[in-house]
Amino acid sequence: MSLVVQFLSSIRGFVLEQNGAELRNWLLVENDVADIYFQMGAELKAGYAPGSPALEKLVEKCLPEADDVPEGRGSPWPGFNSFIKDYLEYWREVDFEDVVRLHSRLSELLISCANALANPTYGTMLLQTSMSFSESLSKLVMGLTRQPHLLSQIQGDMTGEESGERKSIVELAADIIQKIFTSCLTDRSSTRWSPPKGKKVAVYLFANLTLKLLFACDKSRLAVQMFTNLSTSGPALSLYPASQRVTFLYYLGRFHFDHGQFFRAHMCFEEAYRQCLPQFQKHRRQILTYWIPTNLLLGRFPSQTLLQRPEAAGFAAIFLPICGAIRTGNFVTFHQALTHSRDWLWDKGIYLTLLYQLKPLVWRSFTRKTFMFTWQGSATGSSNKAASLSFEDLAVTASYVQKLLEGYIPTKPNPHHRPLAQHKSHLPPSRLIFGNKPPCPSNLESVVAGLVYSGLLNGFIARQQKRFAVEGAKKKGRNAVAAGWPNAYESILERLKEAHQEALDAADNGEGASRRGSGRMCRVG
């Protein structure tokens, strides 16, 4: 009996028993397999030429479809036979040295497997095989992304005639796996809120694998439909193992972070970190990598207790200087801290987000410091004079900081000569406003207005006096600083609640989704 016939006879036995685990163990696609697979491939190459119907006929003969299947037993079906034929062709033509061709064949095989999996009666037995193939394709694709000379040989499909954009191989692989995810999500073996059965047990496995690929190619926006489907018809995440819950929450947090929904991202990362056991330090560190920056953007700094944990090793040197710059409103130190860790932050995809989204918090502290230096009344006393910040004074301090950012070094004053400054370097990204525009009262009025809108400052703009007037000092015991510069985190949360309520009211009034609340702060500077 030939090796091919023996193989097909064993596969038929597993199908009749509905033994998905053994199907996964036998249907292998990587090169670290027993020699008998390569021998079977040689036999297929010698006896079943490409284009010949002989192989298809052999599969139909060895895997006949049963008409009357006893309860608890299985039977081959047309989609399964087509998949097995493709699997045998894969081993007939596979060349593990030619990774470009290997990618094409493995992608086609996974599509065939996905089609067979879609069978509502017996498709579940291919669930483990589908996951095994998906993981193999993902590993191959991630390896190819590190080899540009091979990537250029793989032509992706067009996303559309108008855009003219080609999909990357990572996107193509994610599309295939997402098709399997959809098949699992729409399975009716169990209801949404009951323990998952059938193909539903793998919903979050395939979701997490798809998300891994999408984030690897910076295409998180393509996950919108997946998250929408899960939120409307997906099974409860609490019904699944901790590993799947933690992974999904991590990627959901990454998704919200990429789209500026920082408070939602914080909630996802917090729950993922809480559910991840302490012994999984690598995973907890990966969560902290994004959870700490998310909290910075919300005005919360990491505690020493957190930074002293094993999974946070080295994070203090990265984030504490940034925290110190925000707390003191020091733009020079802020840019120096980001520059010092720029390579690491850039590699994690958070450098630009921190560079631009943290500026409102730095401005908040900077305006507070300027107020404390320049206010002639009593910032914390009993003076009846209304507390306010002059935009002229703010322009003076901002101009001085602008010079420092441009590289000017103040010289020591000489009683006989006018103090001079030496120009050291030119750093355009460090500008306070934008371009070469120097800070002026009108520009700074816009900055302060943005801070007021974001809730980071409490007061109003007195345009005729060119001042920011503090409100609520009496409620704070006449402490103008506490009244005008409230706690950043609490203010941001309050602003989010207001935005959320506005979105609910807009939805009730039929105004659509254009007014939905977000976790963003108004960008200033």
Side-chain angles (χ1 to χ4, degrees):
M1 185 183 296
S2 69
L3 290 176
V4 179
V5 174
Q6 293 180 42
F7 178 82
L8 291 175
S9 298
S10 298
I11 293 297
R12 174 174 169 76
F14 301 142
V15 172
L16 295 178
E17 298 172 0
Q18 298 195 68
N19 193 335
E22 283 301 317
L23 283 175
R24 176 200 57 195
N25 294 336
W26 277 63
L27 297 172
L28 304 176
V29 292
E30 298 190 23
N31 59 348
D32 55 343
V33 296
D35 291 339
I36 194 170
Y37 282 87
F38 294 99
Q39 296 171 14
M40 183 176 69
E43 183 179 301
L44 288 165
K45 189 176 296 185
Y48 303 91
S52 172
L55 183 58
E56 183 177 359
K57 292 180 179 179
L58 177 64
V59 172
E60 295 294 338
K61 178 181 177 181
C62 295
L63 299 174
E65 185 176 359
D67 295 329
D68 189 11
V69 182
E71 185 177 353
R73 302 282 288 180
S75 169
W77 63 98
F80 180 81
N81 288 355
S82 177
F83 161 61
I84 293 298
K85 179 182 74 70
D86 292 338
Y87 179 80
L88 294 176
E89 290 178 348
Y90 170 85
W91 275 106
R92 181 184 65 191
E93 301 172 9
V94 68
D95 179 5
F96 291 104
E97 297 298 325
D98 185 357
V99 292
V100 175
R101 176 67 174 167
L102 176 63
H103 167 264
S104 175
R105 295 298 302 163
L106 188 54
S107 298
E108 294 170 359
L109 183 60
L110 183 55
I111 293 173
S112 180
C113 184
N115 293 334
L117 177 71
N119 183 275
T121 307
Y122 302 118
T124 304
M125 70 176 73
L126 284 177
L127 200 57
Q128 294 163 300
T129 302
S130 299
M131 175 54 67
S132 176
F133 284 10
S134 299
E135 291 174 345
S136 297
L137 179 61
S138 300
K139 184 166 63 174
L140 176 64
V141 165
M142 297 304 292
L144 282 170
T145 57
R146 294 188 287 269
Q147 303 181 63
H149 64 288
L150 295 176
L151 279 178
S152 61
Q153 302 178 37
I154 302 176
Q155 297 295 326
D157 295 334
M158 302 298 291
T159 60
E161 295 180 0
E162 295 183 358
S163 65
E165 180 184 356
R166 292 187 181 275
K167 285 188 176 182
S168 67
I169 62 170
V170 181
E171 290 178 81
L172 294 173
D175 286 345
I176 300 172
I177 300 174
Q178 194 163 358
K179 180 180 179 181
I180 302 176
F181 158 79
T182 303
S183 179
C184 295
L185 183 64
T186 56
D187 184 60
R188 298 183 178 180
S189 300
S190 59
T191 61
R192 184 178 187 185
W193 307 112
S194 61
K197 299 178 182 178
K199 285 181 276 190
K200 262 194 166 62
V201 300
V203 165
Y204 288 101
L205 284 173
F206 287 107
N208 291 337
L209 192 55
T210 303
L211 292 171
K212 177 182 178 181
L213 290 172
L214 291 178
F215 278 93
C217 63
D218 296 324
K219 299 287 185 178
S220 61
R221 58 182 174 80
L222 299 179
V224 172
Q225 189 59 50
M226 172 181 288
F227 286 127
T228 302
N229 293 340
L230 283 170
S231 64
T232 55
S233 60
L237 185 62
S238 59
L239 299 173
Y240 289 79
S243 60
Q244 298 179 37
R245 298 197 306 267
V246 170
T247 303
F248 181 76
L249 287 169
Y250 164 75
Y251 283 118
L252 182 59
R254 290 279 307 274
F255 175 81
H256 286 312
F257 184 91
D258 287 353
H259 292 80
Q261 305 286 347
F262 301 124
F263 185 70
R264 294 181 183 179
H266 153 69
M267 291 190 293
C268 292
F269 290 135
E270 181 180 40
E271 191 63 21
Y273 186 80
R274 187 184 67 81
Q275 295 188 29
C276 188
L277 299 178
Q279 57 263 36
F280 298 106
Q281 289 188 16
K282 180 180 178 181
H283 301 86
R284 287 165 70 91
R285 181 177 180 84
Q286 188 68 13
I287 297 169
L288 284 179
T289 298
Y290 295 92
W291 188 24
I292 293 177
T294 300
N295 275 278
L296 290 182
L297 293 162
L298 293 173
R300 296 178 73 188
F301 299 155
S303 66
Q304 287 291 342
T305 302
L306 178 64
L307 294 175
Q308 289 173 0
R309 293 181 180 179
E311 60 267 24
F315 283 173
I318 297 173
F319 294 112
L320 287 184
I322 299 175
C323 296
I326 295 174
R327 185 179 287 110
T328 59
N330 192 326
F331 280 98
V332 176
T333 304
F334 173 70
H335 287 286
Q336 288 175 347
L338 287 177
T339 301
H340 178 266
S341 305
R342 179 170 51 194
D343 293 341
W344 185 86
L345 295 171
W346 189 277
D347 182 63
K348 300 301 179 182
I350 57 179
Y351 174 75
L352 292 178
T353 302
L354 296 183
L355 176 62
Y356 293 106
Q357 297 290 348
L358 284 178
K359 279 189 174 181
L361 295 175
V362 185
W363 271 111
R364 171 188 173 276
S365 299
F366 180 75
T367 55
R368 181 184 60 189
K369 181 180 289 187
T370 301
F371 172 78
M372 297 177 69
F373 283 159
T374 60
W375 175 236
Q376 297 299 317
S378 177
T380 59
S382 57
S383 173
N384 293 324
K385 187 177 181 180
S388 62
L389 171 64
S390 168
F391 295 140
E392 295 286 351
D393 292 339
L394 188 59
V396 173
T397 55
S399 297
Y400 175 75
V401 172
Q402 178 70 39
K403 291 294 184 181
L404 295 179
L405 289 173
E406 291 177 357
Y408 284 88
I409 304 175
T411 59
K412 293 182 179 181
N414 188 311
H416 304 291
H417 300 87
R418 182 180 177 183
L420 300 176
Q422 298 175 348
H423 186 264
K424 182 180 179 183
S425 62
H426 196 62
L427 303 172
S430 303
R431 296 290 183 177
L432 282 180
I433 308 299
F434 58 89
N436 291 322
K437 200 172 185 66
C440 65
S442 59
N443 290 330
L444 295 173
E445 179 182 332
S446 299
V447 171
V448 173
L451 295 174
V452 173
Y453 175 80
S454 300
L456 296 177
L457 298 186
N458 180 38
F460 60 91
I461 304 296
R463 300 205 65 183
Q464 291 185 346
Q465 289 78 21
K466 296 182 180 181
R467 286 178 172 273
F468 162 70
V470 175
E471 288 185 318
K474 290 184 179 180
K475 296 180 180 180
K476 295 291 184 179
R478 298 190 179 276
N479 189 328
V481 176
W485 287 263
N487 180 275
Y489 177 68
E490 295 176 359
S491 300
I492 292 172
L493 283 190
E494 185 63 30
R495 184 68 187 92
L496 290 177
K497 291 178 182 178
E498 293 176 1
H500 180 66
Q501 187 59 47
E502 290 174 2
L504 292 178
D505 295 341
D508 292 339
N509 296 330
E511 298 179 19
S514 61
R515 296 177 62 187
R516 286 178 185 167
S518 73
R520 294 187 181 92
M521 288 190 295
C522 179
R523 178 180 166 186
V524 295

